Structures are given as C-alpha cells and as structure tokens.
Amino acid sequence: MSDLPPARRSVLRGAALAGAAGLGLTACSVGGGTSTGPDKPVDLGAADAVPVGGVKYYRDEFLLVSRPSTDEYKALWSRCTHQNCPLEKIEGKVGICPCHGSRFDVTSGKVLHGPADRPLSKVPVKVVGGKLIAGPDRKA
Ligand code: FES
C-alpha cells in the first residue's frame, strides 16, 4: 500500500505551497500589515461543535471559537498580530505562530510570548438557527 502515489489533491496542494514559498509569498510576508478578521459573515456550522469550556480551531477560516459556557461564544482571528501568519499549532489553550514563535491565549487573545505585542483580534460571533456565524454583521 505504501507504494501508492499520494492523492492528487495533496500533490497539487503541496505544489501550490511550494510555489508560494518559492515566490516569497508566505502569509508572513504581507509587509508587516495584519488583518483583523473576515470581511463578510462566515458560517461555521453547528454551534454545538464547540465544546463547553473548550476551543475549536476553524483553520480554513482563520477563526478560533471558544465557549466559556453553554450559551456564550467568543471568536478570535487566528492571524498573528506580528506579521499576519496564521496560528498553526494549538496546545491546550495556547496558539503558536510558526513564523517567529509568538504565543497567544486562544480564549482571550492575550499575547503570552512575543515578538507579537498586540492580542489576537476579536471577531463578532452569534448563533443563528443553531449555526455559528462569525464576522461583520452584514450580508455576504
Ligand atoms: Fe511573526 Fe507570528 S508572524 S510571530
């Protein structure tokens, strides 16, 4: 089985990433600017997917959602406030930026370790019909 080639999708994804890296287009090279959240509402699916007292990382949407109590949700933008890299690894409630090692509390956004010196951006989030909707309160 190990002789099988990787799935085409994985190959294409790897090639795209390699191409971006080769051109110096990593998320980290956005000239030091940072984004602060989605520009339109994002449907994250079932609100119950976030455990009470826990955090769920919606990696593709760059959103971290915590749920301090049954009916309370908090969302944070997962792009590092240093140079905009998306957080990669979440260990417990600590998010780690792969670019220069900043660490954040993924429930509050607080910086735990630099070089970032600003907390992760808060993103509005609400439950509509059992689904989490994060981002600005306007139509897509
Ligand atoms: Fe530099 Fe995150 S982009 S530490």
Side-chain angles (χ1 to χ4, degrees):
M1 288 293 182
S2 62
D3 292 341
L4 291 174
R8 181 172 171 76
R9 182 175 172 187
S10 295
V11 170
L12 290 174
R13 185 173 182 197
L17 290 172
L23 294 171
L25 296 176
T26 62
C28 193
S29 65
V30 186
T34 57
S35 57
T36 58
D39 58 3
K40 59 185 180 183
V42 179
D43 182 344
L44 297 174
D48 282 342
V50 183
V52 177
V55 178
K56 182 170 172 59
Y57 190 9
Y58 296 88
R59 195 175 297 271
D60 291 344
E61 292 80 12
F62 306 115
L63 288 163
L64 293 152
V65 179
S66 60
R67 189 176 181 186
S69 64
T70 304
D71 297 323
E72 186 182 6
Y73 295 87
K74 294 181 178 180
L76 296 168
W77 191 233
S78 73
R79 287 189 170 261
C80 181
T81 57
H82 179 230
Q83 290 183 357
N84 214 31
C85 289
L87 300 187
E88 184 173 275
K89 205 168 169 187
I90 309 296
E91 293 180 351
K93 293 185 177 174
V94 177
I96 303 166
C97 179
C99 293
H100 312 101
S102 288
R103 292 172 181 250
F104 299 87
D105 179 320
V106 294
T107 59
S108 69
K110 181 180 171 187
V111 177
L112 302 174
H113 187 278
D117 60 2
R118 289 173 292 123
L120 296 175
S121 299
K122 293 180 180 174
V123 174
V125 64
K126 61 186 175 185
V127 179
V128 179
K131 290 184 172 185
L132 281 175
I133 308 295
D137 202 12
R138 60 185 157 93
K139 301 289 179 206

